[in-house]
Amino acid sequence: MDILTEETQRFLAATAPDHDEIQSEMASYAAENGFPIIGPEAGGVLRFLATVAGSKRLFEFGSGFGYSATWFAKGMADDGELFLTEHDPDELDMAREFLERAGLADRTTFLEGDAVELVESVEGEFDLVLLDHQKYRYAEAFDVVRDRVEVGGIVVADNVMRGPLDFGALVDWSEETPEALDGANADTRGIAAYLDAVRADPRYQTIVLPIGNGIAVSSRVE
């Protein structure tokens, strides 16, 4: 299901920031192999968020081959730290290669395995977090990391409107339609559970942006 009109999508694509050389290679690989990436429209939003938050410490739950991290890095401080996680060793190796060529490997830690478990191995707080792993585990990931996001920090969740989910069921659920999620798949229910969790936490303010596959942006305000 398209979340924007074709005309709006064309406009956003035309006004999105340009890829650099490495990002162009990454986008070409994604297109050739059917690998989902956020794209430059949402990538520009990630860069903007990292800039306005003055981000210095990023943790990604699910990094693929590192595309989203390159956008965050463009907005982060030059001495910022990036923690990438991926359960597929081949994809993590690709991320390492791409980020090395992009000049980012020296400030990036590449972690292989389950992101929800791996975050426990990283000490300290974060001012930027991306949720882009299994959608049915978003609420679990938020529960693990919510207390470790600094005040002023941001949590971004991808695929909240499009992906392996039933957006129509989510719309009905958002309007409090009884039994809206009956029969919905685990990812659809997972996105609903995540939005419930982050919106119920009084320390966070959350908005959903219909960019890319739909991103939920939550800022910790206290």
Side-chain angles (χ1 to χ4, degrees):
M1 176 185 293
D2 288 333
I3 59 178
L4 297 172
T5 66
E6 180 184 356
E7 193 172 50
T8 301
Q9 292 181 55
R10 287 167 50 202
F11 178 75
L12 291 175
T15 57
D18 294 330
H19 281 139
D20 61 29
E21 184 177 349
I22 299 299
Q23 289 175 324
S24 291
E25 288 187 37
M26 299 172 91
S28 294
Y29 172 84
E32 292 168 4
N33 292 274
F35 193 101
I37 57 174
I38 59 171
E41 298 93 334
V45 175
L46 302 188
R47 182 184 65 182
F48 173 79
L49 293 173
T51 300
V52 298
S55 299
K56 292 188 175 182
R57 210 156 188 261
L58 163 71
F59 189 93
E60 290 191 342
F61 287 82
S63 299
F65 57 88
Y67 178 84
S68 58
T70 65
W71 284 108
F72 279 126
K74 285 176 178 288
M76 294 177 65
D78 291 339
D79 59 347
E81 296 179 89
L82 296 84
F83 295 89
L84 274 60
T85 66
E86 179 54 49
H87 64 85
D88 186 321
D90 293 333
E91 289 181 17
L92 195 63
D93 284 343
M94 289 181 60
R96 187 178 289 107
E97 179 182 345
F98 277 126
L99 268 66
E100 182 174 342
R101 292 174 55 208
L104 300 171
D106 59 341
R107 54 189 176 111
T108 304
T109 300
F110 300 89
L111 302 171
E112 180 184 339
D114 185 289
V116 178
E117 297 175 0
L118 289 169
V119 71
E120 302 287 359
S121 69
V122 180
E123 296 182 355
E125 296 186 322
F126 310 104
D127 50 29
L128 196 55
V129 172
L130 173 68
L131 305 181
D132 198 12
H133 58 316
Q134 301 103 323
K135 315 311 166 192
Y136 63 88
R137 300 185 68 193
Y138 276 17
E140 178 187 8
F142 178 64
D143 191 53
V144 169
V145 81
R146 68 169 82 198
D147 294 332
R148 298 181 59 185
V149 176
E150 296 179 349
V151 174
I154 294 172
V155 179
V156 179
D158 192 25
N159 293 111
V160 301
M161 298 176 71
R162 185 167 58 187
L165 52 83
D166 182 345
F167 183 51
L170 278 177
V171 173
D172 290 341
W173 163 82
S174 71
E175 295 176 339
E176 300 183 357
T177 300
E179 303 177 348
L181 298 179
D182 286 0
N185 64 24
D187 289 322
T188 304
R189 297 195 305 273
I191 294 298
Y194 170 72
L195 292 174
D196 268 343
V198 73
R199 292 164 67 199
D201 192 323
R203 299 171 297 174
Y204 285 84
Q205 294 180 351
T206 298
I207 59 171
V208 175
L209 303 176
I211 302 293
N213 293 317
I215 56 177
V217 180
S218 303
S219 174
R220 183 167 181 182
V221 296
E222 60 180 72

